[in-house]
Amino acid sequence: FASAAITDDSCWRSCQHSQRHSLSFAVGSGDNISHKKTKSMLQERKPVMSALNTENDAEEDSPLQYIRSLFNGKRVRGPISMVSPEDQDLDTYDGDVARAIRSNDVPKLRDLLEQGRSFGGCNRNGETQLHLACRRGNTETVEFLINDARIPTDSTDCMGRTVLHDCCWRPQPNLELMDLLVRTVSPELLIAEDIRGHTCFDYCRRSDFAEWTTFLRKYSNQIVLRARIVGMLQAPSEADLTNLKLQESSTNYTAET
């Protein structure tokens, strides 16, 4: 599987069944996999075997190779639970909100929120409004949806793709958006595989590998500390937690010259 620089949006979003996957992954290294179940798990299935091309892992500047090295080779296989969108999910997916997101109209979104309009639910492909915003790549809109509309960041669409998959699928690296997401989402999402076994970094263009890896190196300490907090790695000390708070309060990402 070469880097998935997909240009056909209909191809990217097509799926045979209208299913939404809750974020419930199998975390492990090699064949030793322990399942972490969420409350929303309704149906189990076997973890998907990775279909990743080994060229991605083998390349020296591969962001996937680097992020896995931070997690001691752990992989997040899944999702291992599936649920079809219910009528209430489809009913609460507001078309006016979606249109404002597509036009990156934050004032309109704020007005809709004040009116009590719904920012929840999903479409028939299991995509939330946050998926749409991340695919559009507008950081201000995504920040509003996370901080003001309080849309959960751990939802997956019908193909098991997270908001990070949408972010990495952009034609050019959107490091400002990834900066926001890295500070917000669970670190598990950085290595989470969709139902075809592809992580978010498998959707990066190979020509952008070095830029993505440089970004991850800049945030490596913060990523590791967050992984330790959620139990992916050894628990952090009090000094580590203080350091993390200082890092998260620092300025946004800027590329080094």
Side-chain angles (χ1 to χ4, degrees):
F1 175 74
S3 181
I6 302 174
T7 58
D8 185 351
D9 187 64
S10 62
C11 175
W12 156 258
R13 291 299 159 189
S14 63
C15 60
Q16 296 178 344
H17 302 285
S18 296
Q19 295 173 319
R20 184 180 61 181
H21 302 260
S22 62
L23 186 65
S24 178
F25 296 107
V27 182
S29 177
D31 294 329
N32 298 321
I33 300 175
S34 61
H35 296 280
K36 187 180 71 173
K37 302 179 179 178
T38 63
K39 294 181 180 179
S40 59
M41 177 181 291
L42 299 181
Q43 178 181 357
E44 289 190 357
R45 66 176 177 85
K46 295 180 179 179
V48 175
M49 295 300 294
S50 176
L52 299 176
N53 189 313
T54 56
E55 292 180 3
N56 194 331
D57 287 335
E59 293 194 25
E60 185 176 352
D61 63 347
S62 163
L64 179 57
Q65 181 188 40
Y66 180 75
I67 196 66
R68 281 182 175 157
S69 72
L70 294 183
F71 297 144
N72 299 328
K74 286 185 171 62
R75 303 181 72 161
V76 177
R77 303 170 186 263
I80 60 174
S81 67
M82 299 185 296
V83 57
S84 298
E86 299 177 356
D87 289 341
Q88 62 183 15
D89 296 320
L90 301 176
D91 291 342
T92 56
Y93 188 81
D94 194 312
D96 289 337
V97 172
R99 283 186 285 274
I101 290 173
R102 291 190 183 96
S103 60
N104 295 323
D105 191 344
V106 175
K108 178 64 174 179
L109 289 170
R110 195 175 304 279
D111 182 56
L112 290 171
L113 184 63
E114 291 176 354
Q115 294 176 25
R117 300 288 285 271
S118 171
F119 281 69
C122 66
N123 62 21
R124 294 188 181 279
N125 290 331
E127 300 170 318
T128 67
Q129 304 284 16
L130 188 58
H131 279 91
L132 173 60
C134 288
R135 188 163 70 250
R136 290 282 170 169
N138 186 276
T139 303
E140 184 182 4
T141 297
V142 172
E143 186 172 15
F144 172 82
L145 294 178
I146 292 175
N147 296 333
D148 294 83
R150 301 292 182 180
I151 296 182
T153 59
D154 61 355
S155 297
T156 60
D157 66 12
C158 69
M159 296 299 291
R161 297 181 179 113
T162 70
V163 294
L164 296 187
H165 286 85
D166 285 289
C167 178
C168 290
W169 176 67
R170 298 285 303 163
Q172 291 84 33
N174 190 333
L175 303 182
E176 183 182 11
L177 176 57
M178 182 61 87
D179 169 271
L180 171 63
L181 294 174
V182 165
R183 297 167 183 263
T184 307
V185 305
S186 169
E188 292 176 322
L189 270 65
L190 290 166
I191 54 174
E193 299 174 3
D194 62 20
I195 64 173
R196 293 178 178 175
H198 301 149
T199 71
C200 61
F201 294 111
D202 284 298
Y203 288 87
C204 301
R205 297 173 186 268
R206 182 164 281 106
S207 58
D208 297 326
F209 275 6
E211 189 171 1
W212 279 112
T213 302
T214 298
F215 172 88
L216 293 173
R217 290 183 187 278
K218 180 180 178 67
Y219 279 95
S220 59
N221 290 337
Q222 182 178 336
I223 291 171
V224 169
L225 283 175
R226 289 175 61 85
R228 291 169 69 181
I229 290 173
V230 301
M232 292 181 68
L233 300 172
Q234 182 181 359
S237 64
E238 289 297 326
D240 290 331
L241 294 175
T242 301
N243 186 32
L244 177 61
K245 291 180 180 179
L246 291 174
Q247 291 182 37
E248 292 186 333
S249 64
S250 65
T251 57
N252 290 339
Y253 176 83
T254 54
E256 296 180 358
T257 57

